[in-house]
Amino acid sequence: MRPRFAFLLLATGLMLMAGPSTMAVGATCGAPESALDTAGVLPVVAAARRAGGPLRVTVVGSASTGGAGTSGPGKSYTAKLAAALSRRLGVEVAVEAHGRRGWTARAMAEELPDIVAADQPHLVIWQTGTVDAVREVAPEAFGQALVQGAEALKQGGVDLLLMDMQYSAIGVRLIDYGPYLDHMSWAAAAFGNPIFHRHAVMRAWAEESRFGDPGRRKADQESYADQVHACMAELLAQVITDIQAESAPR
Amino acid sequence: MAKAESTSRDLRLDFFRGLALWFIFLNHMHYNVLSWVTNRNYGFSDATEIFVFISGYSAAIAYGGAMQRQGFLVAAARILRRVWQIYVAHLMLFLAFTAEIAFLAQRFDNQMFVEEMNVLTFLNEPHVTLIQALLLKFRPVNMDVLPLYIVLLAVFPLALWGIQRRPLTVVAASAVLYFAARHFGWNLPNYPGDAGWFFNPFTWQFLFVLGAAATRLPATLEWLQRQRRWLTPLAVAYLVFALWIAFSWHVPWFEGSVPQWLARHLYPVDKTSLDPLRAVHFLALAYLTACWVRPDARFLAMPIFRPLVICGQHSLAIFCVGIFLSFTGEFALLEIDGSLAMQVLVGVTGIGLMTALAAILGWYKAAEKANQRRPQMASAA
């Protein structure tokens, strides 16, 4: 849980002291390498790329996956992901987004088979954890839902990339994400799935107020959200590209 | 947490409880860089296990004498008075926390965090929330240890009565309850959600009872000491194993070093129901500590460790103040500046304030004692 970030912070601090840190994806969207690092493989994506595409990606998540807070439908990270990924992989990419407010991990896990049957994706990006932490769903049950979903995807021959919660300074004051973050990393370790550490990335951004203060005006908040989502798409694409490059195709 | 009165006080209890209190303070701040020094990063168990075990041990010392001299009822009354004090302390902390949250809530109004904002609904329905808080069902982030302690202490009179007669039987019963609660999923109810208590009293009681029973089992402890030839390497090996696993969670370098088959066997390492991996990790740690740190170890009396010892001697007050300071510290990090230097400053200031308060409490207690003695001397003259 938190210690990971304490460590990241320490690492970031040391890197800053040591000189220019290893930032990825240019100055605007960069994040500490330690926040992007993840174990796990994406063999199906690697195979689809080798076959010349097209690559089909399905994103399942809660409100942020639905683009909540952005200025319009084209501004969410899911809307920007196809172009960013296609640019890097050199194949055609299609992204289907299923973002529903209040969608718990359990409910998502139950619907995953139907969604996969309809979309026929090579890769599922499963964004989860926030709703469960807010509603105080039993962490054990949350973990079981993750395992259920991961198992189904593995058997169906679909790659899975988990994506954790957004970060906000007030949010972590009010919500205990710790146990849910733990369960996500455990489920990932048990099935060899990579994790996109959105929480750590957004925390690093908040630390250095990368995009300024969202403020209280709706227009400012929306432009803030637009920037965060745009960068999230870039980083996601980068992480997916890196992982599949190291995965033996299946 | 209970006050242990004894002339030959075991300073190890105060020292390690003080350490646990400092760790709990640091761990309760999200992302304070100083929390990196706490033991939770280096194995399965954390400061909570230390705190609960030592609290059981010192509660048995504090109330055991009264139960033998004055009987069950008087001792039970004293324990329940303590329960009431802790309940009041918990409600004070709840009030402080709610005041801070109500203040912050007005700024947490951004559609980007529409899911997260749902956590504030409790402010809109005080008629429900306040009652749930009084019933200890609604406990905001990081306010879970005191409710656990309240429940453990509330049933402690019966446990202590048993421990004074048949300590091993009570330990066995406690272990049965521990495994049964894990197996059947027994826990006290929570609000909102179905998570149950973050520290499940039916499982965490095991460490508390073990600590209390240890005061009555000197022969067993000595026997364990004599087995160090094979127990020590075993405990060390287990701690190293736990260190590796914990590093795979926290240190990017080690991420992915745990093979999938092992991960499937190990995980989840559940804190709520005190996963056996955690309990064994604490016991291994406690065993090695007991073997290597004798009650007369010289460093315990060194002035540099005095702050730890005095914090451990006033643990209820220092625990509550630590929680309160972690709220305040987080607030400062949020409102003023969250930089690395500020995190260190907040951590060090908090520990300084905890120590200062402990010193004042110690001084006050000593002054009270001296005052109680004086009138008697006057009447004798």
Side-chain angles (χ1 to χ4, degrees), chain A residues 69-121:
Chain A
T70 57
S71 64
K75 299 289 189 182
S76 72
Y77 78 91
T78 54
K80 304 230 170 223
L81 183 61
L85 203 50
S86 168
R87 185 158 30 87
R88 281 186 174 74
L89 292 176
V91 298
E92 200 186 311
V93 178
V95 175
E96 285 289 335
H98 305 263
R100 274 186 229 160
R101 209 176 142 179
W103 212 1
T104 60
R106 157 79 39 225
M108 289 193 235
E110 268 156 20
E111 269 194 62
L112 261 179
D114 292 343
I115 293 171
V116 167
D119 292 356
Q120 295 290 318

Side-chain angles (χ1 to χ4, degrees), chain B residues 11-27 34-35 37-40 46-51 54 285 289 293 299-300 304-315 318-319 351 354-355:
Chain B
L11 280 184
R12 293 182 299 178
L13 292 179
D14 296 332
F15 180 88
F16 289 108
R17 189 161 47 179
L19 201 63
L21 289 167
W22 286 14
F23 284 178
I24 289 173
F25 162 69
L26 291 173
N27 287 341
L34 289 183
S35 68
V37 306
T38 65
N39 61 327
R40 71 165 178 204
D46 64 20
T48 319
E49 276 90 352
I50 304 177
F51 188 73
I54 296 186
L285 213 55
T289 308
V293 182
F299 77 92
L300 293 171
I304 188 174
F305 293 122
R306 189 82 193 129
L308 277 175
V309 171
I310 59 172
C311 281
Q313 284 170 349
H314 302 278
S315 65
I318 300 307
F319 179 87
I351 286 173
M354 287 160 76
T355 308

Side-chain angles (χ1 to χ4, degrees), chain A residues 93-148:
Chain A
V93 178
V95 175
E96 285 289 335
H98 305 263
R100 274 186 229 160
R101 209 176 142 179
W103 212 1
T104 60
R106 157 79 39 225
M108 289 193 235
E110 268 156 20
E111 269 194 62
L112 261 179
D114 292 343
I115 293 171
V116 167
D119 292 356
Q120 295 290 318
H122 300 96
L123 167 68
V124 167
I125 301 175
W126 189 358
Q127 175 264 309
T128 188
T130 310
V131 175
D132 294 79
V134 167
R135 296 196 185 164
E136 297 187 16
V137 169
E140 290 270 87
F142 172 71
Q144 283 160 9
L146 292 179
V147 166
Q148 181 192 331

Side-chain angles (χ1 to χ4, degrees), chain B residues 210-231:
Chain B
L210 218 52
T215 60
R216 306 291 292 191
L217 293 166
T220 313
L221 295 181
E222 264 167 41
W223 180 82
L224 282 170
Q225 292 268 349
R226 284 201 299 276
Q227 311 303 314
R228 33 163 104 190
R229 183 169 292 170
W230 63 277
L231 272 181

Side-chain angles (χ1 to χ4, degrees), chain A:
Chain A
M1 47 195 272
R2 263 93 68 183
R4 161 188 291 281
F5 301 103
F7 176 81
L8 290 180
L9 209 62
L10 200 68
T12 319
L14 291 175
M15 280 193 285
L16 288 175
M17 274 182 263
S21 66
T22 33
M23 295 289 191
V25 202
T28 12
C29 291
E33 287 291 351
S34 50
L36 298 179
D37 260 358
T38 176
V41 289
L42 297 174
V44 183
V45 175
R49 187 206 182 181
R50 187 169 286 191
L55 178 71
R56 288 182 304 275
V57 179
T58 286
V59 192
V60 180
S62 54
S64 64
T65 294
T70 57
S71 64
K75 299 289 189 182
S76 72
Y77 78 91
T78 54
K80 304 230 170 223
L81 183 61
L85 203 50
S86 168
R87 185 158 30 87
R88 281 186 174 74
L89 292 176
V91 298
E92 200 186 311
V93 178
V95 175
E96 285 289 335
H98 305 263
R100 274 186 229 160
R101 209 176 142 179
W103 212 1
T104 60
R106 157 79 39 225
M108 289 193 235
E110 268 156 20
E111 269 194 62
L112 261 179
D114 292 343
I115 293 171
V116 167
D119 292 356
Q120 295 290 318
H122 300 96
L123 167 68
V124 167
I125 301 175
W126 189 358
Q127 175 264 309
T128 188
T130 310
V131 175
D132 294 79
V134 167
R135 296 196 185 164
E136 297 187 16
V137 169
E140 290 270 87
F142 172 71
Q144 283 160 9
L146 292 179
V147 166
Q148 181 192 331
E151 221 153 32
L153 289 173
K154 186 153 230 174
Q155 273 164 18
V158 180
D159 279 345
L160 168 63
L161 171 71
L162 288 168
M163 179 168 173
D164 63 17
M165 306 81 163
Q166 298 190 110
Y167 169 89
S168 70
I170 302 180
V172 297
R173 188 72 196 85
L174 296 167
I175 304 159
D176 192 2
Y177 292 118
Y180 303 90
L181 286 167
D182 285 344
H183 276 280
M184 289 188 78
S185 65
W186 293 335
F191 290 91
N193 298 315
I195 300 189
F196 182 72
H197 300 292
R198 177 167 64 156
H199 199 74
V201 168
M202 285 181 75
R203 167 159 176 77
W205 288 346
E207 280 281 301
E208 50 176 89
S209 37
R210 175 79 57 88
F211 306 108
D213 186 344
R216 312 207 36 187
R217 285 181 46 232
K218 190 159 179 273
D220 294 344
Q221 292 182 341
E222 284 181 353
S223 103
Y224 179 91
D226 288 353
Q227 293 182 66
V228 168
H229 275 254
C231 281
M232 212 56 88
E234 289 297 325
L235 287 179
L236 254 177
Q238 184 203 329
V239 167
I240 293 169
T241 307
D242 291 351
I243 301 169
Q244 63 84 32
E246 292 163 14
S247 312
R250 187 176 72 202

